[in-house]
Amino acid sequence: MQAPTFTEIAVVGMYFRDREGVPATELVAGFIPPVQLQFERDFYNQYDENAIKVLYQGQHIGFLEAAQAIFLAPWLDDGHNYELTVTDMQVRRKNLHPIVTATPLPMEQKQADE
């Protein structure tokens, strides 16, 4: 079965990363879409069993919002691979958030990456 594309996913939690010494909000403020991001499942997250970390140039900058991660996580757990692209920047509650699209990679590309 072809994995679905997920759109309009906000990256959240950047302000918590700032408190941990990672200048996530500063990095994000410089994004001009499109920007490629990386992500990985966070199986040991005590707050969200479906947590998906978002990384920029290998640096953990935040998480995919939980309301969307719950749908994407099972596809990742099932071995599907995605490309994560910032498509927009939105202000929500006075905070700037990258808005991303998770596009499934073709199965042959997934296999080549493994």
Side-chain angles (χ1 to χ4, degrees):
M1 173 188 257
Q2 174 64 30
T5 296
F6 295 89
T7 60
E8 300 289 319
I9 307 170
V11 177
V12 298
M14 284 127 356
Y15 293 89
F16 293 107
R17 303 299 301 154
D18 279 350
R19 292 182 200 147
E20 295 173 4
V22 176
T25 55
E26 186 178 313
L27 288 170
V28 166
F31 285 178
I32 299 172
V35 176
Q36 294 302 124
L37 301 176
Q38 302 80 45
F39 61 97
E40 61 186 44
R41 285 282 277 121
D42 185 0
F43 293 104
Y44 302 105
N45 187 304
Q46 63 183 350
Y47 303 105
D48 182 3
E49 66 184 38
N50 297 299
I52 301 171
K53 290 181 184 181
V54 176
L55 302 109
Y56 176 67
Q57 297 179 343
Q59 185 172 346
H60 180 195
I61 61 167
F63 291 89
L64 294 183
E65 62 186 329
Q68 294 293 322
I70 194 170
F71 298 107
L72 179 56
W75 290 97
L76 296 174
D77 295 348
D78 208 26
H80 293 274
N81 202 359
Y82 281 80
E83 178 177 79
L84 195 65
T85 306
V86 176
T87 57
D88 194 13
M89 300 294 289
Q90 292 182 1
V91 175
R92 295 183 179 182
R93 297 184 192 156
K94 299 183 181 179
N95 297 323
L96 184 63
H97 295 273
I99 304 301
V100 300
T101 295
T103 307
L105 295 173
M107 292 304 283
E108 53 274 0
Q109 187 167 353
K110 175 188 161 234
Q111 292 167 350
D113 291 342
E114 296 178 340

